[in-house]
């Protein structure tokens, strides 16, 4: 996984105060990307409601944030009441930012977050035609075994270790500080 910050933007976890940024990102997806993300066409009202539940049930959402806007996101969602052996993952990158390695970078973070929670199977409701998603999966074949079609990724068993847990915690702490600074600057601008 590369450095957390790039000259162009930052990969970090999104916090509950940022559901509006997540919603705006999903609303900016072009028609085809929106259909690929949700596996069918969805209306703006559906996205409003979906985004408002961004962090429900302990979901972990990472964003690629550039100039205060979320341009890509990766979600890790529980399937039951607690974190079990299975979870759902989803990815979205705005059209102008696709094919720059952002989806692959986010996949790395989701796999690490899943592994740190002892998740063994990742379900991704990807359409079979989604060749970009399959290309990303191939890049992570050391970590994931994929059953294509209705894409199901099995995380290659590897016990979370001290370093992967610390890496996620350290990155989250830094991301949280940046999110707070960003919120402060938005409040100052609005005052
Ligand atoms: C799928 C998606 C998340 C990928 O993100 P991304 O940032 O564009 O992906 P990356 O740039 O990291 O990697 C894309 C890979 O696909 C390859 N690719 C691009 N177009 C392709 C095509 N038509 N066929 C096959 N591979 C293709 C790229 O070459 C790249 O692989 P490489 O790095 O080995 O060259 C993004 O395109 C997206 O949000 N699509 C719409 C929503 C969606 O499909 N979500 C997934 C549902 S779970």
């Amino acid at each position: 996984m590369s450095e957390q910050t790039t000259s162009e933007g930052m990969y970090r976890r999104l916090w509950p105060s940022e559901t509006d940024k997540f919603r705006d990102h999903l609303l900016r997806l072009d028609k085809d990307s929106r259909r690929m993300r949700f596996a069918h066409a969805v209306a703006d009202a559906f996205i409003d409601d979906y985004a408002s539940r961004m962090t429900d049930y302990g979901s972990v959402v990472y964003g690629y944030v550039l100039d205060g806007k979320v341009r890509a996101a990766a979600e890790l969602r529980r399937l039951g009441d607690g974190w079990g052996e299975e979870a759902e993952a989803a990815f979205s990158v705005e059209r102008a930012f696709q094919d720059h390695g952002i989806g692959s970078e986010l996949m790395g973070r989701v796999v690490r977050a899943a592994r740190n929670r002892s998740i063994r199977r990742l379900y991704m409701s990807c359409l079979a035609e989604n060749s970009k998603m399959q290309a990303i999966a191939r890049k992570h074949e050391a970590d994931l075994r994929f059953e294509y079609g209705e894409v199901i990724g099995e995380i290659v068993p590897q016990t979370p270790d001290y370093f992967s847990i610390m890496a996620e915690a350290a990155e989250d702490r830094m991301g949280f500080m940046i999110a707070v600074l960003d919120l402060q600057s938005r409040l100052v601008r609005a005052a």
Side-chain angles (χ1 to χ4, degrees):
M1 215 177 293
S2 71
E3 291 290 300
Q4 186 188 22
T5 48
T6 69
S7 54
E8 294 157 352
M10 182 181 196
Y11 296 96
R12 66 169 175 81
R13 199 162 159 186
L14 299 181
W15 302 96
S17 60
E18 300 182 292
T19 51
D20 53 341
K21 288 185 190 174
F22 177 56
R23 179 202 59 217
D24 292 347
H25 154 65
L26 293 175
L27 287 172
R28 279 194 297 269
L29 291 175
D30 62 279
K31 197 172 156 202
D32 196 42
S33 297
R34 197 190 275 203
R35 186 180 68 91
M36 292 287 223
R37 161 60 189 83
F38 292 99
H40 52 89
V42 295
D44 289 359
F46 173 92
I47 288 186
D48 276 348
D49 178 59
Y50 179 85
S52 71
R53 290 180 282 108
M54 179 180 86
T55 50
D56 276 9
Y57 315 115
S59 296
V60 178
V61 181
Y62 290 100
Y64 170 76
V65 185
L66 175 65
D67 295 334
K69 287 188 174 144
V70 172
R71 295 301 190 170
E75 303 156 59
L76 181 68
R77 295 187 178 276
R78 291 181 347 198
L79 285 173
D81 289 341
W83 288 110
E85 292 220 320
E86 300 178 336
E88 190 182 8
F91 299 83
S92 49
V93 181
E94 290 176 30
R95 175 70 73 187
F97 294 82
Q98 291 179 9
D99 294 323
H100 289 85
I102 295 173
S104 307
E105 193 65 36
L106 288 169
M107 171 71 93
R109 278 167 174 75
V110 162
V111 168
R112 183 184 64 192
R115 193 169 264 154
N116 285 346
R117 287 159 184 77
S118 298
I119 289 160
R120 291 277 176 258
R121 284 175 84 75
L122 274 183
Y123 290 89
M124 293 176 229
S125 48
C126 279
L127 298 174
E129 69 201 66
N130 200 333
S131 40
K132 283 193 196 184
M133 210 54 222
Q134 293 174 6
I136 293 180
R138 273 196 298 278
K139 281 198 256 180
H140 285 269
E141 64 190 358
D143 298 307
L144 289 167
R145 267 193 296 271
F146 265 81
E147 294 165 24
Y148 293 103
E150 182 79 359
V151 177
I152 299 172
E154 192 175 344
I155 299 182
V156 174
Q158 194 178 310
T159 321
D161 61 24
Y162 173 80
F163 293 105
S164 72
I165 290 171
M166 287 309 286
E168 183 184 336
E171 201 177 282
D172 283 356
R173 259 200 311 277
M174 170 67 84
F176 184 69
M177 274 160 46
I178 303 280
V180 169
L181 290 174
D182 187 51
L183 178 63
Q184 271 178 348
S185 69
R186 276 198 287 161
L187 291 175
V188 168
R189 274 203 302 276

